[in-house]
Amino acid sequence: MPGGMSDRTARAWAGRRVWVTGASSGIGAAFVRALVCGGARVVVSARRLDRLEALRDAAPGASVVVVPVDQDDPAGAAAAARAAVAAFGGLDTVILNGGVSQRSLALDTSLDVDRRLMTVNYLATAALAKAVLPALLAQPQAHLVIISSIVGHVGTPYRSGYAASKHALHGFFDSLRAELPPRVAVTLVCPGFIRTDVSIN
């Protein structure tokens, strides 16, 4: 199957309504291609509309809908969530993948950079989750997936602000998982290094 997805896994996604943030490149775009191959209907969000539109145009039928999201502005989370829910009349799975990285010594990293990392990676992700939770709670079974990083567990050199933002995600979503009923699963995914544009950007 395209995207490394088995036949069994592909069948599991058939008909599912999925929202993927950070969908314009890297892990997010790979998710979208695999989900569409598996028969899911997917809402794609990020800032780069041209890349989102390319994903939509490459998908069959009306299986992909574009909803712009700028995670530099968490105040837009509620409107984005409403649009994502409305696209297919509800959501079964939400994959919160948007974020930015950083590579510099802590001593050389300005507080403005730390603040942006926390805004984009943590605050915006938490805001999107809070905004979409009522729609997930309305489903008999739903899944909230957060793409974190191995540095959400263990900090590494040159990644102080990035690691802090990912640690914040773990604290928030581990607590949220304990608060939610079992019908809404919460999963933190922690990849190691993956060759995507996030390191370049």
Side-chain angles (χ1 to χ4, degrees):
M1 290 291 294
M5 185 181 288
S6 70
D7 288 339
R8 181 178 178 184
T9 303
R11 286 194 299 273
W13 288 106
R16 299 280 292 182
R17 300 162 299 178
V18 185
W19 184 17
V20 181
T21 67
S24 60
S25 64
I27 294 172
F31 269 132
V32 173
R33 288 189 287 268
L35 290 166
V36 168
C37 285
R41 293 174 289 169
V42 187
V43 180
V44 295
S45 294
R47 290 183 303 168
R48 292 179 287 185
L49 283 179
D50 57 332
R51 295 198 178 190
L52 297 178
E53 289 166 352
L55 281 171
R56 179 196 63 200
D57 295 345
S63 56
V64 172
V65 171
V66 173
V67 172
V69 165
D70 183 355
Q71 291 194 208
D72 274 315
D73 181 17
R82 285 194 298 271
V85 171
F88 298 118
L91 290 167
D92 303 298
T93 301
V94 174
I95 301 173
L96 299 177
N97 170 70
V100 292
S101 187
Q102 161 250 350
R103 182 175 175 82
S104 55
L105 291 167
L107 189 61
D108 297 334
T109 305
S110 73
L111 195 59
D112 285 341
V113 169
D114 291 318
R115 186 178 292 110
R116 181 166 186 253
L117 287 159
M118 292 300 292
T119 297
V120 172
N121 293 353
Y122 167 60
L123 289 174
T125 303
L128 289 164
K130 289 182 177 187
V132 80
L133 267 177
L136 295 181
L137 285 165
Q139 301 304 316
Q141 294 290 327
H143 200 171
L144 180 60
V145 180
I146 302 89
I147 307 304
S148 178
S149 168
I150 195 68
V151 301
H153 291 291
V154 180
T156 60
Y158 306 106
R159 292 286 195 263
S160 57
Y162 181 67
S165 69
K166 295 299 186 179
H167 274 69
L169 285 180
H170 286 241
F172 180 86
F173 285 102
D174 283 345
S175 295
L176 180 63
R177 184 190 299 109
E179 295 175 3
L180 293 174
R183 71 177 186 275
V184 181
V186 177
T187 301
L188 282 153
V189 179
C190 300
F193 179 77
I194 297 176
R195 192 179 300 278
T196 69
D197 287 349
V198 71
S199 297
I200 299 170
N201 296 335

